[in-house]
Amino acid sequence: MSDVLLSGRGLGRRFPMPRRTLFERAGHTVALDDVDVDVREGSALGIIGESGSGKSTLVRLLLALDAPTSGTVEFAGRGVDARASARDLHWLRRETGIVFQDPYASLDPRMSVGRIVGEPLWALGVDGDRRARVREVLAEVGLEPDMAERFPHEFSGGQRQRIALARAIVHRPRLLVGDEPLSALDVTVRSQILELLTTLRARDGLTLVMVSHDIGVVQNLCDEVVVMKDGRIVEEGPTEKVLQQPQVAYTRRLLASIPAIDPDTSR
Ligand SMILES: Nc1ncnc2c1ncn2[C@@H]1O[C@H](COP(=O)(O)OP(=O)(O)OP(=O)(O)O)[C@@H](O)[C@H]1O
Ligand SMILES: [Mg+2]
C-alpha cells in the first residue's frame, strides 16, 4: 500500500447565515461535518454527491483555499491549511494544482495564454526555461505552442479548459484537484482530457482528486470514490465496488439520477 499524500481528519466547515428577520436568530450552515479522507500518493479519488453536499467545500479545505472550522489537513505529513504560514502555503501551492468547472470565468481575459499558463512558474519561482516549459505544457494538453501569444476569447470552451489544465500542471505538481473540470466540455473533448489525465498519472505518478457528476469520468479515472451527502461521507470504497454495489440507498438514487455511463468515456 502506498503512502498517504493528503489527508483530512474530522474536517468541519460552518458558514454564518445572517438572520432574515429581526426575530430570527442568526445561525449557520454546516457545509462539512466531521469528514475523514485519505488520498494515497499516485491514486485517484473521485468525489460524488448531490448539489450542496459539500464537495467543493471539502476540496477547498484540502487545498488550503479555505480554513476548516474544525479538524486538520495534512499534505505529505505536514499540517497545512489556509491559516498556515506564507512559507508553508507557498510549498503547498508548488506541490498542487487545481482546475475548476468554468473555463470562461477562470481565465483572465486581459492576459495572453502564455502569461496565464506560465504565471505559476513565476509566482512560485520555479527554475528553468519558463517560456520553453509553457510551450511544452501547451503541447501536452493538445494545443499549439504558438497559441501562447493569443488571448482566451479566441478559444472555444474545450480549448479554454485545456488552457486551465495546462496552467494547473505547468509546475509539475504532485497532486491535481479538479472541481468538475470536465462538466462543461462536449464528449469528444472530455475523452481527450480524460486520456491526458490518465497519461499524466501513468507517466508522472500524478495524484488526482476529482469532483464529478459524471459517473463515466469517475469510472474511467478513479480508483476510489467517496459519496457525500449533507456535508458527510455516507459511502466510500473502490470505484467498481461503490458503483456496482452501492450499499446506501442515497448512493443508489444518486447513481440512478446522474447521466448514464457514456460509451466514449467508459472503459
Ligand atoms: N461561502 C459560503 N457561504 C455560505 N454558505 C456556503 C458557502 N460555500 C458553500 N456554502 C454552503 O455549503 C454547502 C455545501 O456547498 P458546496 O459548494 O461545498 O457544495 P457542492 O457539493 O460543491 O455543490 P455543487 O455540486 O452544486 O457544486 C451548501 O449548503 C452551500 O450553500
Ligand atoms: Mg461544487
Side-chain angles (χ1 to χ4, degrees):
M1 196 126 175
S2 48
D3 292 339
V4 171
L5 179 62
L6 174 67
S7 79
R9 284 288 166 274
L11 286 178
R13 181 66 167 103
R14 294 170 167 205
F15 291 103
M17 227 171 32
R19 53 183 182 185
R20 284 163 299 185
T21 68
L22 207 55
F23 307 103
E24 198 177 74
R25 286 175 20 148
H28 55 253
T29 313
V30 179
L32 211 62
D33 185 12
D34 196 20
V35 164
D36 292 338
V37 64
D38 282 323
V39 186
R40 286 175 299 109
E41 176 114 54
S43 73
L45 175 73
I47 303 177
I48 62 176
E50 66 192 359
S51 186
S53 56
K55 306 180 296 295
S56 297
T57 303
L58 176 60
V59 298
R60 289 175 54 77
L61 295 187
L62 291 174
L63 283 185
L65 296 170
D66 183 22
T69 322
S70 56
T72 54
V73 178
E74 280 191 5
F75 186 88
R78 202 192 293 190
V80 53
D81 66 29
R83 295 161 298 199
S85 67
R87 191 155 165 251
D88 281 355
L89 286 173
H90 183 272
W91 167 76
L92 185 73
R93 300 286 169 254
R94 182 74 185 74
E95 301 277 44
T96 57
I98 184 159
V99 51
F100 296 100
Q101 173 171 4
D102 186 352
Y104 289 88
S106 60
L107 306 179
D108 188 334
R110 296 158 305 180
M111 278 164 71
S112 70
V113 167
R115 265 191 68 193
I116 291 173
V117 170
E119 199 258 344
L121 298 179
W122 275 271
L124 297 167
V126 178
D127 293 332
D129 185 339
R130 294 166 180 164
R131 282 175 197 282
R133 175 60 187 150
V134 168
R135 294 176 67 84
E136 180 183 57
V137 77
L138 286 173
E140 267 181 38
V141 301
L143 294 171
E144 295 295 326
D146 291 342
M147 289 178 174
E149 317 304 326
R150 293 163 57 185
F151 287 83
H153 71 265
E154 301 175 49
F155 295 94
S156 69
Q159 288 173 320
R160 286 177 198 222
Q161 200 56 322
R162 287 168 197 251
I163 295 168
L165 181 62
R167 178 190 156 89
I169 60 171
V170 68
H171 55 299
R172 298 195 173 89
R174 276 162 90 181
L175 170 74
L176 176 69
V177 174
D179 192 349
E180 306 254 11
L182 307 170
S183 315
L185 308 179
D186 67 42
V187 175
T188 322
V189 180
R190 195 166 51 202
S191 34
Q192 287 163 355
I193 298 214
L194 271 176
E195 216 174 288
L196 172 68
L197 292 173
T198 307
T199 306
L200 291 171
R201 276 196 72 189
R203 194 191 67 189
D204 304 342
L206 183 70
T207 306
L208 286 174
V209 173
M210 283 289 137
V211 174
S212 185
H213 273 112
D214 185 329
I215 292 306
V217 168
V218 172
Q219 193 174 43
N220 203 288
L221 211 55
C222 301
D223 318 302
E224 309 261 335
V225 184
V226 301
V227 183
M228 298 197 59
K229 178 181 191 288
D230 298 335
R232 291 176 157 263
I233 292 177
V234 293
E235 179 157 9
E236 61 191 308
T239 305
E240 289 302 306
K241 191 162 178 284
V242 173
L243 298 186
Q244 303 305 328
Q245 301 156 338
Q247 299 299 303
V248 182
Y250 170 79
T251 310
R252 288 194 286 272
R253 277 202 309 278
L254 186 71
L255 294 177
S257 72
I258 43 195
I261 295 162
D262 190 317
D264 278 313
T265 52
S266 66
R267 261 193 286 240

